[in-house]
Amino acid sequence: MSSPVSPDHTPPTRHEQQAPREQDRRGGVIERLGLNWRLHGDGRHVAPGDVVTPRERLAWPRTISIGAQHVVAMFGATFLVPLLTGFPPATTLFFSGIGTVLFLVVTAGRVPSYLGSSFAFIAPITASVNQYGPGGALGGVIMAGAALFLIGVIVQIAGTGWLQKLMPPAVTGTIVALIGFNLAPSAKQNFTAAPVTALVTLGSIILISVLFRGLLGRLSILLGVAIGYVTAVIRGEVDFTSIQAAWDEQGVFGLPQFHSPEFHLNLAGLFIPVILVLVAENIGHVKSVALMTGDDLDPYMGRAIISDGLATMIAGSGGGSGTTTYAENIGVMAATRVYSTAAYWVAALVAILLSVLPVFGAAVATVPQGVLGGAATVLYGMIGMLGVRIWVQNRVDFSNPVNLTTAAIAMIVGIGDYSWSVAGLDFAGIALGTAAALVVYHLMAGIARARGSVGSDPLTPDSSQSPSPLG
């Protein structure tokens, strides 16, 4: 016989029983997306020696302010890529915002990063546009993104050891360096189109980077481009008619210009080597953030590469350039000591909003050749020097003929932009230089180890302590 139910203990209704489960389910989704930030302290101050971790945030007004700083930090580099390649700036900005959102979701809000346009794509995009038009270049971007995605999956499962064996520092540094230096003729072409404006732009970037500390110094490229743009306006080198046309045709809001991709197999050799730069930048970014925050982010290394690959494929499918994690934003985090991914959500949403303002995109597109030439002179060289930095940081021993010969041959092939056509497929300097670095290194290293002919292993770091006679 059942006992009577007390009127003070009415059984919960089905809706009341389901409500906690729904809340738990929503809470689980929010946590997986990395949106469950804790308020840091009082939300207004960061104590000396303390940091705001990726899973924390400040009060929303301060978070929005820092997000705006991230937009400024990434903007100079992000909009230069479409200007140099002929892609619509608004479209590239749109997909950089979408890519950043995807990155934050895939990494569960543990890795703060903005995905901006990668300079490594400039050379292959420029070459492929001349041959197949924008559609062919976009197809190449998608192929690179797919290859990067696959590498990310393997890294997530097996770690990075296999990658280091396939491409040791001597090889990786060489490939990254030749990608940057291969662009030298393009920089020269833009520079000589308006040398006075280009020189003002270049000089401004140089001076700002050493005259100012903190955020201003890190924005040397953006500020240098702004000064160069004003110079170009004074010299009558800027055409503003496109801004008025954008206002007349689209008004305040309008979607950016999208473009569909085309696929040509012979472009794979031109685009896929670029992923070496992207892998190096992603791994370096994750390790840098881990060092600054004290978090163990190695489990998210593969996720970061996977999300960058997905973001690059999405961008290529609609008219944007390939993406990468941005070192510029690490500078903002170091200066503010705020590593909250909430600030990056703000930056991504602001970028998407700016991309649907047609007048804004048209204004960016008016940046003239001279300004681009001055900025490109610095930026392309920086890409090349990133490869040199890989050599230095890993103490590559160039007294070993395996390392020396690998770099020597591949650099000349890449910088000289050698070309080769076989079976209807055309290969240019970047693809051939990459192939040369891999083949020459592993062939020479294999023979040297079998014969014991070079004394030391090419992977042995340079232990020389004697100073260079050049100082």
Side-chain angles (χ1 to χ4, degrees), residues 145-204:
L148 185 63
F149 173 83
L150 291 176
I151 286 181
V153 171
I154 298 172
V155 167
Q156 188 67 24
I157 296 171
T160 59
W162 66 275
L163 197 58
Q164 293 168 350
K165 290 180 180 177
L166 176 64
M167 293 176 293
V171 174
T172 304
T174 298
I175 294 172
V176 173
L178 68 85
I179 287 174
F181 296 142
N182 175 271
L183 291 164
S186 174
K188 178 186 176 183
Q189 182 180 3
N190 283 321
F191 197 103
T192 54
V196 174
T197 301
L199 191 59
V200 170
T201 304
L202 177 60
S204 299

Side-chain angles (χ1 to χ4, degrees), residues 18-353:
Q18 291 177 341
R21 287 197 291 267
E22 284 295 325
Q23 291 176 351
D24 291 343
R25 196 176 298 120
R26 281 197 295 268
V29 171
I30 290 173
E31 184 174 0
R32 284 194 295 273
L33 294 177
L35 301 177
N36 57 333
W37 302 287
R38 302 181 302 273
L39 189 67
H40 178 88
D42 62 2
R44 298 192 303 273
H45 303 97
V46 182
D50 200 4
V51 298
V52 180
T53 67
R55 303 299 293 273
E56 297 178 326
R57 65 169 177 84
L58 296 175
W60 281 114
R62 292 182 180 271
T63 298
I64 292 171
S65 172
I66 293 171
Q69 290 184 52
H70 282 298
V71 173
V72 174
M74 68 81 185
F75 190 77
T78 292
F79 87 83
L80 276 175
V81 173
L83 290 177
L84 292 165
T85 58
F87 281 11
T91 309
T92 297
L93 189 61
F94 175 82
F95 283 112
S96 77
I98 296 295
T100 299
V101 169
L102 179 64
F103 183 95
L104 295 172
V105 169
V106 173
T107 58
R110 296 298 300 273
V111 184
S113 179
Y114 190 91
L115 291 192
S117 304
S118 171
F119 286 104
F121 281 97
I122 294 175
I125 287 176
T126 303
S128 55
V129 164
N130 293 335
Q131 190 173 4
Y132 295 106
L138 293 173
V141 169
I142 293 176
M143 286 189 279
L148 185 63
F149 173 83
L150 291 176
I151 286 181
V153 171
I154 298 172
V155 167
Q156 188 67 24
I157 296 171
T160 59
W162 66 275
L163 197 58
Q164 293 168 350
K165 290 180 180 177
L166 176 64
M167 293 176 293
V171 174
T172 304
T174 298
I175 294 172
V176 173
L178 68 85
I179 287 174
F181 296 142
N182 175 271
L183 291 164
S186 174
K188 178 186 176 183
Q189 182 180 3
N190 283 321
F191 197 103
T192 54
V196 174
T197 301
L199 191 59
V200 170
T201 304
L202 177 60
S204 299
I205 293 172
I206 293 170
L207 292 176
I208 291 170
S209 65
V210 292
L211 283 176
F212 300 102
R213 298 178 180 177
L215 183 61
L216 280 179
R218 295 186 182 95
L219 296 178
S220 59
I221 292 174
L222 178 61
L223 297 177
V225 167
I227 294 172
Y229 188 86
V230 172
T231 303
V233 171
I234 295 172
R235 293 176 58 81
E237 297 170 356
V238 180
D239 181 6
F240 294 106
T241 56
S242 60
I243 300 176
Q244 184 62 47
W247 175 264
D248 294 339
E249 294 173 9
Q250 294 182 279
V252 178
F253 294 103
L255 288 174
Q257 178 184 349
F258 297 116
H259 200 294
S260 57
E262 302 171 5
F263 294 94
H264 302 276
L265 184 60
N266 60 326
L267 292 180
L270 191 61
F271 279 87
I272 290 179
V274 167
I275 67 175
L276 300 181
V277 180
L278 306 185
V279 169
E281 289 176 337
N282 274 279
I283 292 176
H285 183 90
V286 172
K287 288 188 177 295
S288 295
V289 172
L291 183 65
M292 290 187 287
T293 62
D295 293 339
D296 178 18
L297 297 179
D298 283 354
Y300 295 89
M301 193 87 70
R303 287 197 195 189
I305 298 173
I306 287 170
S307 54
D308 195 3
L310 287 173
T312 294
M313 286 192 285
I314 292 173
S317 67
S321 183
T323 60
T324 189
T325 51
Y326 259 23
E328 288 86 345
N329 297 95
I330 285 185
V332 175
M333 291 190 288
T336 61
R337 291 180 288 130
V338 176
Y339 300 89
S340 172
T341 52
Y344 283 96
W345 275 92
V346 172
L349 295 176
V350 170
I352 294 171
L353 177 62

